[in-house]
Amino acid sequence: MNVLGRVAVFPTLPKRISRLYDLAYNLWWSWTPEARTLYSDLDAELWRKVKHNPVRMLAEVDPARLETLANDQEYLARFDAVLADFDAYMQRTDTWFQTTHPQRSDALIAYFSAEFGLHESLPIYSGGLGVLAGDHVKESSDLGLPFVGIGFLYPQGYFTQRISRDGTQEAYYDKLSFASVAATPAVGKDGKEIEVYADLPGRRVYAKVWKLQIGRVALYLMDTDVPGNAPGDRELSARLYGGDHELRIAQEIVLGIAGLRVVRALGLEPSVFHMNDSHPVFLVLERARELVQQDGLSFDVAREVVRASTVFTTHTPVPAGNEVFGYDLIDKYFSNYWGSLGLSRDQFHDLARQNMPWGTVFSMTILALRFSSLHNGVSKLHGAVARRMWQFLWSGITEDEVPITHITNGVHTPTWLAPELRDLYTKYLATNWQDHRSDAATWQPIANIPDGELWAVHNERKLRLFTFVRAHLRKHRARLGEGPNALAETETIGNPQALTIGFARRFATYKRATLIFRDRERLLRLLSNPERPVQILFAGKAHPADQPGKDLIKEIYNLSRTPEFAGKIIFLENYDMNMARYLVSGVDLWLNNPIRPHEASGTSGMKAALNGVPNCSILDGWWAEGYTGSNGWAIGEEREYQDLETQNDADVADLYNKLESEIVSTFYQRDADGIPHAWLQVMKEAIVSCAPRFSMTRQVEEYANLLYIPTTERNGDFCRTGYEKARSLASWKQQIGAHWQEVALQVQGPREAQLGIGDQVEVTADLVLGALRPEDVTVELVVGRDEDWNVVETGAVELARSEVSEPGKYRYTGSIPAQHGGSLVYGVRVIPSHPELATKYELGLIRWA
């Protein structure tokens, strides 16, 4: 058949349970176990077959079964309770945002992301970035933020991973039927279905917009597979992270430019635009174009308006991971665009110019940093790495002063906490504990849970994990055509009583999935001890174009099928959110060994800790903050090495030592009751120390308090009275840029002196400003320590203007105490200063004496 269309046909639901249909179209069910049970109870086998998708479930379930349950009093009681909870959730008026920021009820945050990991039935995510975005949306709903998401509804999503007989990763793409997922056509202010467009070279590409309801938050996702588009353009949004640079730039133009047009078609007026990584950054250019073309602003003024309302989160701690485009592509895709901004070709190139060893490129991250007022990394260490990476944009200041902050990632507790553990926590925590997930005091009673109860629940989750693992392996081997012996072997593979280590994540080389195999004989001895057996579960995908990553998978899979390691090393194909929930709540130990400092944050270990699974990890990303010494184990040292081989040797030696001398012995140390009490103390400490601190509740609250609310206020200031503040600031910046070379600074102060702690370092500075005014600048005295010829700044004070020494020259004086022994150094600098700057060093201009 030549299929022209596909529709989902739903049986008529009995009126008594007809709201199963309404509930299916709000992904609140995805983080509510009782709601999921309503669907799984319709037909458990069908629920697995449809990948836990309630929309497909209602289309395929036997109508007779619906009639039966519509008369089942026990089912109806649970149905009524779930719908009552759902209605109370949707109608709540005392959410965190409403009570904390009542004056901002008219604010709106528009969150742009290339992927959203919401649930396994919507495979439009590849890994951590998407799952983080999905968790961010869910928590924004929980906390009541005025929030809307913009992205793509990829018809083929991310690939399905299949492992061949020889261990090769093969990528398969299945067409997603939008009629069978919780998506409905989005409609605009006129009640008509929304279709937006973006202009590409020689053509216009259209996208249909779909709406997903995520609790209280709406998510609007685009799809270019619409009539009227050329065949190639209908495939433009087919796959996540597929294709070459040309496809990527086309996708990102649609994401940013057409995505902004979605916002306009909905009649929304966001106060904050949040770019989750640099993929959607072209939206800032489209916003500037609107202001230039529609409001008559100059480009410089438009840029200030855009900056005032834009937040940017960077996720990439290595230069190679930050996306750049060659100027040949920029010219091809934007030659008809920069004129609408009032810019020349060179001026447009300069917006994101980055000089690389091989030439000059257009950097998406630089564009994002220059068009946002607030920027953040995703862990404390990543913030420091990002400041070092991008310091050249703010030359003249130290890394610590670069205006890139950090908000450490978190995880959405209801999504990732196993239901059995949720029930156990509810038994011992306060009744309303889920409303205070980020409060450390909420979690202190975890210490009161009897070890036996926690251990019993953990073992229940572990048995569930191995039931899943065995079924998964049997299905995999059957697909490969293996014989009855190989299939029968899966019924007993793995040992639910053995110490089980989990390693599941994207297979990028920097994550070093095979590090633990560096000394195979030593590893084999560790895994094969009959009295203290150990086993490792691996899962994860490599990008289809990442051959080294695929080679790692092949190595692990083939090792798992050797006689020595069979049953001790297990690789599970097609890692997704469903498998992740089993792993993070069912293994005993979570392993993570990236090359420090290449892990921006990582969140899988947070999910494990939430479920009482300790981490054994390199002190990188979130674990550099999370490790307390008693909540898990740290691999290696907090330092960098002369080369990768030296680092690998040092890290794997420490990993083996930790496993052999601490981890295995603690796990198998049992009292007369058969319970590993010392291990359970580590489990409890992991929960108490990590659950509140690395919750998505804490993360989104910080985004709101530190980024969204200040940006909302700044945006309001810049848009009032005909953009007067934006005009004034743009004019001031032009004045500063034109005359900064005239600024000169001379200082009189101690050159070589001996001081006691508490003595004052006193200076006098003479400042020449040329055409600039004293109110345009701040003069600072900065002191620091000299640590082996490496200057570490320890403080700064603003100098006071005391007199005009002669026309155009101003004198400043001040002092700062010597607070530390050792070698003290000081300097004096002048920086541009304006009350409307978002950050102190926004202009990246500084003049040292």
Side-chain angles (χ1 to χ4, degrees):
M1 177 190 294
N2 181 23
V3 177
L4 297 179
R6 194 179 308 274
V7 296
V9 180
F10 294 91
T12 302
L13 291 177
K15 185 176 181 180
R16 182 66 176 82
I17 57 172
S18 61
R19 291 195 68 195
L20 282 175
Y21 184 83
D22 299 332
L23 189 61
Y25 277 84
N26 189 315
L27 269 79
W28 175 85
W29 60 260
S30 71
W31 67 88
T32 309
E34 293 80 4
R36 297 196 300 271
T37 301
L38 290 181
Y39 295 105
S40 65
D41 282 355
L42 298 179
D43 185 332
E45 183 57 36
L46 180 60
W47 181 241
R48 287 190 289 271
K49 178 184 173 184
V50 301
K51 297 182 179 178
H52 312 137
N53 177 353
V55 177
R56 277 192 64 191
M57 187 77 186
L58 293 178
E60 298 183 25
V61 69
D62 183 352
R65 178 61 175 163
L66 295 172
E67 291 291 347
T68 298
L69 290 177
N71 293 286
D72 184 320
Q73 295 307 309
E74 188 273 335
Y75 183 86
L76 293 177
R78 291 190 287 116
F79 172 86
D80 291 341
V82 169
L83 269 296
D85 287 346
F86 175 62
D87 291 337
Y89 178 91
M90 295 299 292
Q91 297 164 12
R92 189 169 177 179
T93 59
D94 62 343
T95 64
W96 174 85
F97 190 87
Q98 289 167 308
T99 55
T100 308
H101 300 289
Q103 75 283 11
R104 292 299 169 193
S105 59
D106 59 342
L108 178 65
I109 301 109
Y111 182 87
F112 285 68
S113 182
E115 52 176 307
F116 289 91
L118 300 162
H119 188 259
E120 61 268 17
S121 61
L122 277 167
I124 57 172
Y125 61 94
S126 70
L129 178 71
V131 173
L132 181 83
D135 279 10
H136 196 116
V137 171
K138 293 172 186 176
E139 193 68 57
S140 296
S141 170
D142 288 348
L143 296 177
L145 268 68
F147 196 91
V148 63
I150 306 292
F152 279 124
L153 186 60
Y154 303 96
Q156 297 177 31
Y158 201 50
F159 71 95
T160 296
Q161 179 196 56
R162 294 182 183 174
I163 304 300
S164 69
R165 290 187 182 89
D166 69 351
T168 299
Q169 171 184 283
E170 298 172 342
Y172 291 83
Y173 292 88
D174 298 317
K175 184 70 179 287
L176 187 66
S177 171
F178 294 166
S180 298
V181 296
T184 57
V187 295
K189 294 177 290 185
D190 57 4
K192 296 180 181 179
E193 292 186 7
I194 296 175
E195 190 172 83
V196 292
Y197 70 89
D199 289 320
L200 297 180
R203 67 206 192 271
R204 177 164 286 182
V205 175
Y206 294 91
K208 181 173 181 174
V209 183
W210 297 84
K211 178 182 178 182
L212 276 74
Q213 195 67 37
I214 319 298
R216 305 180 184 100
V217 168
L219 188 57
Y220 294 94
L221 304 179
M222 294 175 288
D223 170 34
T224 63
D225 186 12
V226 296
N229 282 342
D233 292 333
R234 294 188 72 155
E235 292 281 320
L236 185 64
S237 66
R239 299 177 180 179
L240 175 62
Y241 302 147
D244 56 13
H245 271 71
E246 187 144 9
L247 178 61
R248 287 293 291 275
I249 195 172
Q251 280 187 333
E252 293 178 6
I253 287 171
V254 173
L255 177 60
I257 294 178
L260 180 63
R261 290 171 180 163
V262 173
V263 173
R264 302 307 186 213
L266 291 165
L268 303 177
E269 293 294 337
S271 308
V272 180
F273 290 84
H274 183 178
M275 300 184 296
N276 187 39
D277 218 347
S278 63
H279 306 114
V281 71
F282 290 133
L283 82 90
V284 301
L285 300 179
E286 180 64 7
R287 291 184 61 212
R289 187 200 64 79
E290 288 180 337
L291 292 164
V292 171
Q293 296 287 305
Q294 297 171 16
D295 290 38
L297 303 185
S298 70
F299 176 77
D300 288 337
V301 175
R303 176 166 48 190
E304 295 306 324
V305 175
V306 172
R307 279 175 49 85
S309 56
T310 304
V311 169
F312 169 55
T313 299
T314 176
H315 291 266
T316 311
V318 291
N322 287 270
E323 191 163 47
V324 298
F325 292 113
Y327 280 115
D328 56 337
L329 282 180
I330 295 299
D331 287 347
K332 179 177 179 179
Y333 281 84
F334 286 96
S335 59
N336 293 325
Y337 192 90
W338 53 63
S340 62
L341 295 170
L343 300 178
S344 67
R345 175 180 180 272
D346 286 345
Q347 288 173 322
F348 188 83
H349 285 188
D350 286 343
L351 297 178
R353 187 183 300 275
Q354 184 175 9
N355 296 320
M356 305 294 281
W358 60 87
T360 305
V361 292
F362 190 93
S363 166
M364 299 289 276
T365 302
I366 289 179
L367 185 65
L369 289 169
R370 286 181 171 163
F371 275 79
S372 52
S373 59
L374 298 174
H375 344 281
N376 70 286
V378 291
S379 70
K380 183 178 180 180
L381 179 58
H382 178 230
V385 170
R387 287 189 289 275
R388 181 166 69 244
M389 283 177 59
W390 302 108
Q391 183 184 11
F392 68 89
L393 296 177
W394 292 273
S395 58
I397 61 175
T398 65
E399 289 176 14
D400 289 344
E401 294 172 308
V402 171
I404 300 176
T405 186
H406 78 276
I407 295 178
T408 302
N409 285 342
V411 298
H412 185 239
T413 303
T415 294
W416 297 106
L417 180 60
E420 298 88 345
L421 282 161
R422 182 205 60 177
D423 293 343
L424 181 64
Y425 295 173
T426 299
K427 181 178 176 181
Y428 288 93
L429 303 184
T431 304
N432 62 344
W433 71 271
Q434 295 220 52
D435 289 333
H436 304 279
R437 298 193 288 254
S438 62
D439 186 346
T442 297
W443 298 87
Q444 293 303 316
I446 290 290
N448 300 328
I449 299 177
D451 286 355
E453 286 192 50
L454 180 56
W455 187 237
V457 171
H458 176 68
N459 282 320
E460 181 182 351
R461 289 302 309 176
K462 200 170 178 182
L463 285 172
R464 286 181 178 271
L465 168 63
F466 276 96
T467 299
F468 172 86
V469 166
R470 290 165 178 173
H472 197 82
L473 290 175
R474 183 179 180 86
K475 183 178 178 181
H476 180 199
R477 292 186 182 186
R479 181 177 56 75
L480 294 177
E482 298 193 20
N485 290 339
L487 296 184
E489 191 179 77
T490 63
E491 300 300 324
T492 57
I493 200 165
N495 178 2
Q497 281 72 52
L499 171 62
T500 303
I501 301 172
F503 184 101
R505 52 189 42 87
R506 183 166 56 91
F507 269 67
T509 51
Y510 79 86
K511 294 179 183 285
R512 297 191 295 184
T514 57
L515 181 69
I516 199 169
F517 300 130
R518 203 163 172 87
D519 185 339
R520 292 191 183 180
E521 290 185 6
R522 189 172 179 181
L523 176 62
L524 186 59
R525 289 195 300 272
L526 179 72
L527 302 184
S528 302
N529 185 333
E531 296 180 358
R532 303 192 308 180
V534 179
Q535 57 202 356
I536 311 175
L537 299 180
F538 286 91
K541 298 177 179 179
H543 188 282
D546 182 5
Q547 189 58 47
K550 291 191 286 187
D551 289 343
L552 295 175
I553 290 173
K554 188 171 187 176
E555 179 183 349
I556 294 171
Y557 178 78
N558 286 328
L559 201 64
S560 75
R561 302 305 298 267
T562 63
E564 308 97 292
F565 288 100
K568 303 178 182 71
I569 301 292
I570 297 172
F571 187 90
L572 302 171
E573 70 174 359
N574 203 37
Y575 184 48
D576 66 0
M577 290 178 69
N578 180 48
M579 184 185 294
R581 287 194 297 271
Y582 280 100
L583 288 168
V584 298
S585 64
V587 299
D588 298 304
L589 184 75
W590 198 254
L591 177 64
N592 188 31
N593 40 236
I595 300 170
R596 177 186 160 93
H598 290 182
E599 184 89 282
S601 174
T603 56
S604 63
M606 301 175 188
K607 297 160 191 166
L610 172 66
N611 286 282
V613 174
N615 278 257
C616 177
S617 176
I618 297 289
L619 289 166
D620 195 11
W622 81 279
W623 192 235
E625 299 169 57
Y627 176 62
T628 65
S630 58
N631 64 350
W633 290 268
I635 304 169
E637 301 176 285
E638 291 188 271
R639 68 182 182 93
E640 297 181 19
Y641 292 82
Q642 61 184 10
D643 57 60
L644 181 56
E645 284 302 298
T646 301
Q647 185 171 1
N648 287 341
D649 287 339
D651 287 344
V652 79
D654 193 48
L655 172 57
Y656 288 142
N657 289 335
K658 290 282 189 343
L659 286 168
E660 292 165 346
S661 62
E662 298 180 36
I663 295 171
V664 174
S665 58
T666 304
F667 180 81
Y668 282 105
Q669 178 186 331
R670 308 292 168 97
D671 288 358
D673 56 9
I675 295 175
H677 292 284
W679 184 268
L680 281 152
Q681 286 306 113
V682 182
M683 290 176 63
K684 290 179 180 180
E685 180 63 22
I687 300 167
V688 170
S689 62
C690 297
R693 189 174 176 189
F694 300 103
S695 69
M696 184 59 68
T697 304
R698 186 270 313 153
Q699 180 195 312
V700 172
E701 287 175 352
E702 288 188 2
Y703 271 97
N705 292 330
L706 302 179
L707 303 184
Y708 295 158
I709 295 302
T711 303
T712 295
E713 294 169 352
R714 182 174 169 81
N715 177 54
D717 288 345
F718 272 58
C719 290
R720 276 193 288 271
T721 62
Y723 306 109
E724 181 56 36
K725 283 193 175 182
R727 296 177 193 275
S728 173
L729 184 59
S731 174
W732 177 82
K733 283 186 176 181
Q734 289 174 340
Q735 179 79 355
I736 294 293
H739 297 285
W740 188 249
Q741 73 275 8
E742 301 168 15
V743 175
L745 189 62
Q746 291 186 329
V747 173
Q748 295 81 47
R751 292 295 188 265
E752 299 285 343
Q754 293 181 340
L755 300 174
I757 292 177
D759 289 349
Q760 298 291 317
V761 179
E762 298 181 347
V763 299
T764 298
D766 289 316
L767 178 64
V768 175
L769 285 174
L772 300 181
R773 305 163 302 165
E775 52 266 37
D776 293 328
V777 299
T778 296
V779 182
E780 292 182 329
L781 167 61
V782 184
V783 299
R785 299 191 308 273
D786 187 353
E787 298 180 352
D788 297 325
W789 304 102
N790 180 36
V791 174
V792 178
E793 291 184 10
T794 57
V797 297
E798 184 176 338
L799 299 184
R801 181 156 52 100
S802 59
E803 60 184 273
V804 178
S805 55
E806 58 185 73
K809 181 180 286 189
Y810 305 87
R811 176 156 291 176
Y812 292 78
T813 59
S815 64
I816 194 169
Q819 295 178 324
H820 303 280
S823 179
L824 179 147
V825 294
Y826 76 93
V828 177
R829 65 190 178 193
V830 57
I831 55 176
S833 178
H834 192 283
E836 301 306 330
L837 292 178
T839 59
K840 184 176 180 179
Y841 303 110
E842 182 174 314
L843 272 68
L845 297 175
I846 190 166
R847 182 65 49 81
W848 288 90

